Amino acid sequence: MSEPSEWLIYRGIGEPHDGVPQLPPPPPWRDFAGDRTAPVGGDDSADRRLGIPGRIAEEHRPGAEELEMINAALYLRRPLLVTGDPGAGKSTLAHSVARELELGKVLRWPIVSRSTLLDGLYHYDAIARLQDVQIASHASASADAGAEAAQNVGSYIRLGPLGTALLPSDRPRVLLIDELDKSDIDLPNDLLNVLEEGEFAIPELERIVDRLPDGEADVLDHDGNKVRIKGGRVQCRAFPFVVLTSNGERDFPAPLMRRCIHLELDRPDHQRLAAFVKAHLGEEAARSSEDLIAYFLDRSRSELLATDQLLNAIYLTHAAAPAGRDRLAELLIQRLDRPR
């Protein structure tokens, strides 16, 4: 049996060892913030998606048509529906706009088959409220204790990403509704009224608005900040920059398409792929990986591939395992539409 390659940390030899400290730093797109403090108003996930600051301008410079459609959505205060293959840069677009226009942290709503409109708007914890009412009424001799706790309904409401994006503010928030084509068939239609009117009601607050001080209640937004809701309704002042992404797995109803600006992203060419690598890994990695970029681009003409597969291959073969480079790259860059 041949000796394991030097770069391997787990060697499958059955002998415990503490090799984890030997791992190199993580790839920039997998370096998580943890307890590191993000800049005020910033988005600590932006660097992972956009690349190292100072290297990103070229890679995220859109073409003329992309630029026009993005600005059309900003001017018209309409959602931007971005379609394209996986890895074409659909979700990255939201982070790029947020960073350039200094619109703060991107609010992200990842869609799954069970997602509902209410998930995006707010969550009301009725069970926790009932438990607190019962505890307060038993702990206090006052007959008003339970009623007082019951009126504090705002403490049990937390806005979702869509609800937070619609809070009134002078500057728009950026909302990414990611992979809308994964949703239940009803969700695209359910979004229509909220996206058209820019407001929604919270019935749990509307029912008791006459018992609230000045008709207002404090709730938590998606970021965990306390915000004040008046009259039991959330109504935006600056309509958020909403990016809805789709991998093209389904068609959307005409009423949704009418309310959106539609942008179809093409797969990146060699120049853009090289700039993509440079943004994340630096100029040296991009220059030494021209052959891998060409290999990836050639295969992507007939196979469904994602650009993060290219990043993975270049990082691993450049930083950790220069030996067996081509074989590792082929293992990591596997078609996403391969027959089962």
Side-chain angles (χ1 to χ4, degrees):
M1 183 175 178
S2 60
E3 289 294 321
S5 300
E6 292 183 1
W7 72 278
L8 299 178
I9 300 300
Y10 169 72
R11 301 189 172 192
I13 57 178
E15 297 179 4
H17 66 93
D18 185 18
V20 170
Q22 299 174 29
L23 286 171
W29 57 95
R30 297 298 295 171
D31 187 12
F32 300 98
D35 60 358
R36 297 199 297 271
T37 303
V40 175
D43 184 352
D44 55 36
S45 68
D47 290 351
R48 291 193 289 112
R49 295 176 179 274
L50 297 176
I52 300 171
R55 295 180 183 167
I56 67 169
E58 181 183 357
E59 189 258 311
H60 294 289
R61 185 176 300 150
E65 183 178 337
E66 295 174 39
L67 198 61
E68 289 168 350
M69 291 297 97
I70 293 168
N71 280 278
L74 287 166
Y75 270 77
L76 297 172
R77 275 70 169 179
R78 288 290 186 182
L80 181 68
L81 174 61
V82 187
T83 57
D85 291 336
K90 300 184 296 296
S91 59
T92 300
L93 187 150
H95 291 270
S96 181
V97 171
R99 173 179 276 180
E100 182 168 325
L101 299 183
E102 298 183 337
L103 297 179
K105 181 178 181 180
V106 172
L107 294 161
R108 184 170 177 265
W109 183 14
I111 301 299
V112 298
S113 59
R114 301 178 303 280
S115 298
T116 66
L117 176 61
L118 195 60
D119 294 330
L121 293 177
Y122 73 95
H123 172 70
Y124 170 55
D125 195 341
I127 295 177
R129 183 187 176 199
L130 177 61
Q131 291 173 338
D132 287 351
V133 168
Q134 293 173 338
I135 291 172
S137 60
H138 283 90
S140 175
S142 170
D144 297 329
E148 182 180 348
Q151 289 183 17
N152 193 23
V153 63
S155 301
Y156 307 97
I157 293 175
R158 181 162 187 157
L159 300 181
L162 175 56
T164 301
L166 293 173
L167 286 170
S169 61
D170 294 328
R171 294 173 63 82
R173 292 295 301 268
V174 176
L175 170 65
L176 172 62
I177 304 179
D178 210 10
E179 298 192 332
L180 184 60
D181 50 339
K182 298 288 194 301
S183 73
D184 176 86
I185 192 171
D186 293 326
L187 182 58
N189 283 316
D190 293 342
L191 284 167
L192 295 179
N193 187 64
V194 175
L195 293 179
E196 184 67 22
E197 302 301 329
E199 64 176 329
F200 67 96
I202 302 177
E204 291 82 0
L205 294 179
E206 280 192 318
R207 283 196 295 267
I208 60 170
V209 69
D210 58 333
R211 287 177 281 163
L212 296 173
D214 299 322
E216 299 178 342
D218 290 333
V219 305
L220 292 179
D221 67 8
H222 189 62
D223 299 319
N225 303 311
K226 186 177 290 187
V227 294
R228 183 152 293 182
I229 306 299
K230 186 173 184 178
R233 299 188 68 85
V234 174
Q235 184 175 28
C236 74
R237 184 180 304 132
F239 189 79
F241 180 66
V242 181
V243 177
L244 305 98
T245 72
S246 168
N247 292 326
E249 296 183 5
R250 62 184 281 196
D251 294 328
F252 295 116
L256 178 69
M257 299 298 294
R258 179 175 68 84
R259 288 166 170 81
C260 296
I261 305 298
H262 184 202
L263 171 62
E264 175 76 25
L265 287 184
D266 296 326
R267 296 196 63 80
D269 57 16
H270 188 104
Q271 181 180 3
R272 193 160 185 177
L273 283 174
F276 182 71
V277 174
K278 178 181 175 182
H280 287 277
L281 296 173
E283 189 169 352
E284 181 184 350
R287 186 172 54 250
S288 64
S289 302
E290 284 287 323
D291 57 334
L292 284 183
I293 295 173
Y295 168 75
F296 176 88
L297 188 61
D298 182 62
R299 285 186 52 186
S300 68
R301 294 189 178 99
S302 58
E303 303 174 12
L304 182 60
L305 303 173
T307 50
D308 52 354
Q309 294 175 296
L310 175 63
L311 276 183
N312 291 338
I314 292 177
Y315 174 80
L316 188 60
T317 58
H318 183 76
R325 179 173 176 269
D326 295 341
R327 180 177 57 82
L328 277 172
E330 187 173 351
L331 288 172
L332 291 171
I333 304 175
Q334 297 192 24
R335 62 187 300 170
L336 303 177
D337 57 346
R338 59 186 175 185
R340 298 184 180 275

